[in-house]
Amino acid sequence: MRIVFTILFLIIFSNTSWSQTTLPQLQSLQYNDINFGNALNFNGTNTYGVGQVYVNDSIVDFTIEFWIKNTGADGSNDRVFSAYDNIGLHIAKNTTHLKLQISDLGGITGWQTPGTLESNQWIHIALVKNAAVLTVYKNANSIATYAVSATAQLPTLFRLGSNVDGIGENGNFTIDELRIWNTVRSRTDIQKYMYANIDPNLNAALKLYYRFDQGDAGGANPLELGLYNSAIN
């Protein structure tokens, strides 16, 4: 079942106040129905999303995890997740592989290829920065490690699905259960919760949680105005 609605702009919420970021040239975003509920689909056209992690302090040690399905052919480094100002961590894909750019985290220069992304299969990816080491997990198994700066921070404003507001390096993929933690998650932690929904009220270290469950099946969803961060409700 496919669920389609148009996001007109993204509303970004904080614990104490809220602000609104207007995004130009937005297209309809496509949601797919999966076991977790809905999942957000990017089809390689000019669609993208912008999110922000609200924290009191900068995130130095962190965990980013999400489910991803490789749904189509891509260029060399079409974006999945990237820093909005292009300074920071970049997660991308080509037709067959996961790609990373970590030079702004103090890591090696150029695009890295930590592992494969099999076509049309749901794959769980986690990136864990622990001091000066970044570890990449695929389905809760470590597949690559990289040296980074111990003081490098995770950008709090990020873009999904595109490099430059919908007009560059647009990825073909479906993403679900995007979680950003301001702590180091162990392999056991990742494995334990990768198939489960998380209660943010019981997990203070969970700073962003996109379940991508908006929308009604088959509806136009004209009142959908943004992505809902379950971690700060």
Side-chain angles (χ1 to χ4, degrees):
M1 181 184 297
R2 292 190 172 183
I3 300 158
V4 179
F5 64 84
T6 300
I7 289 184
L8 302 177
F9 55 84
L10 180 71
I11 296 178
I12 303 171
F13 295 91
S14 71
N15 288 321
T16 58
S17 62
W18 64 272
S19 60
Q20 175 175 304
T21 300
T22 302
L23 306 179
Q25 300 177 343
L26 289 183
Q27 305 293 321
S28 296
L29 294 183
Q30 177 175 283
Y31 277 73
N32 296 335
D33 186 18
I34 66 167
N35 290 338
F36 277 115
N38 301 341
L40 182 61
N41 177 257
F42 294 92
N43 61 6
T45 60
N46 296 345
T47 53
Y48 70 105
V50 172
Q52 185 163 3
V53 188
Y54 280 89
V55 292
N56 294 326
D57 301 304
S58 300
I59 300 178
V60 176
D61 288 340
F62 59 80
T63 301
I64 300 176
E65 59 178 323
F66 54 89
W67 285 93
I68 186 169
K69 180 189 283 188
N70 178 3
T71 55
D74 274 306
S76 298
N77 308 297
D78 284 353
R79 296 304 196 275
V80 175
F81 172 103
S82 61
Y84 190 81
D85 60 2
N86 290 321
I87 300 175
L89 174 67
H90 292 262
I91 305 171
K93 64 177 287 287
N94 60 22
T95 301
T96 57
H97 286 78
L98 180 71
K99 306 295 290 292
L100 296 179
Q101 187 179 82
I102 57 174
S103 56
D104 290 329
L105 295 181
I108 190 171
T109 301
W111 284 95
Q112 308 305 308
T113 307
T116 57
L117 284 180
E118 288 73 18
S119 179
N120 291 312
Q121 296 183 28
W122 279 107
I123 296 169
H124 187 271
I125 297 294
L127 287 81
V128 181
K129 180 179 177 292
N130 184 1
V133 177
L134 181 73
T135 303
V136 183
Y137 293 89
K138 175 182 175 182
N139 294 331
N141 294 305
S142 175
I143 58 172
T145 58
Y146 301 97
V148 295
S149 169
T151 59
Q153 300 175 7
L154 178 70
T156 60
L157 188 63
F158 60 88
R159 186 186 290 106
L160 298 176
S162 177
N163 186 25
V164 185
D165 284 0
I167 58 173
E169 296 177 302
N170 302 97
N172 271 292
F173 64 94
T174 301
I175 188 170
D176 199 25
E177 293 289 309
L178 172 62
R179 304 165 183 173
I180 296 180
W181 308 76
N182 69 345
T183 189
V184 174
R185 303 283 286 175
S186 68
R187 179 181 182 271
T188 301
D189 292 331
I190 295 168
Q191 192 172 41
K192 182 177 180 179
Y193 292 103
M194 59 190 285
Y195 294 105
N197 294 133
I198 298 241
D199 184 351
N201 296 317
L202 302 178
N203 294 273
L206 182 61
K207 298 304 178 182
L208 182 136
Y209 186 13
Y210 281 164
R211 296 185 60 188
F212 301 121
D213 282 344
Q214 303 101 306
D216 295 323
N221 299 290
L223 299 180
E224 288 292 343
L225 302 179
L227 303 177
Y228 182 70
N229 182 2
S230 297
I232 57 174
N233 78 24

